[in-house]
Amino acid sequence: MTTRDSMDQFMQQCEDTIRNAQEQMVSGSKQGHYHDVEYSEAMGQLESAYNELTHLAQSANAQQREMLHRKRLQLQQLQNQMILLNHDR
């Protein structure tokens, strides 16, 4: 079973990753291709968070799995938005 502290820490890490990715997406939509490295890193961080979430869900209880499911949807939605932004114009 996943401990409460590790779950809280992971959720905070996800929130930080989401916040950073949102900032990069806004910046990317305004400035085009000038910040490709930061944009790609933000997408990589989203992917890493998603992979860690999948691993963490295996040892989570039902309530934690529900929280992780909601966070997974947030991560996926942001990933999709960043892909659809077509930053590589």
Side-chain angles (χ1 to χ4, degrees):
M1 186 163 111
T2 302
T3 66
R4 181 182 180 109
D5 289 340
S6 64
M7 181 63 75
D8 290 343
Q9 183 180 18
F10 176 73
M11 290 302 218
Q12 183 59 49
Q13 177 187 340
C14 280
E15 286 301 318
D16 294 342
T17 299
I18 289 170
R19 194 177 315 68
N20 179 50
Q22 288 172 333
E23 290 170 5
Q24 291 304 318
M25 192 170 71
V26 169
S27 177
S29 68
K30 292 179 181 177
Q31 298 178 3
H33 63 276
Y34 295 108
H35 298 284
D36 283 341
V37 173
E38 292 89 350
Y39 197 86
S40 295
E41 286 176 355
M43 289 187 73
Q45 290 172 352
L46 286 172
E47 185 67 24
S48 294
Y50 179 85
N51 291 337
E52 188 174 341
L53 182 148
T54 302
H55 180 68
L56 195 58
Q58 294 174 357
S59 60
N61 64 31
Q63 182 182 10
Q64 292 169 333
R65 279 193 302 274
E66 179 61 30
M67 289 172 51
L68 291 169
H69 175 70
R70 284 186 255 129
K71 192 58 66 181
R72 180 183 60 81
L73 293 175
Q74 283 183 300
L75 292 170
Q76 285 180 317
Q77 181 180 25
L78 189 52
Q79 282 178 313
N80 291 338
Q81 289 171 345
M82 291 181 81
I83 290 167
L84 292 174
L85 182 60
N86 194 13
H87 182 70
D88 294 332
R89 289 185 241 161

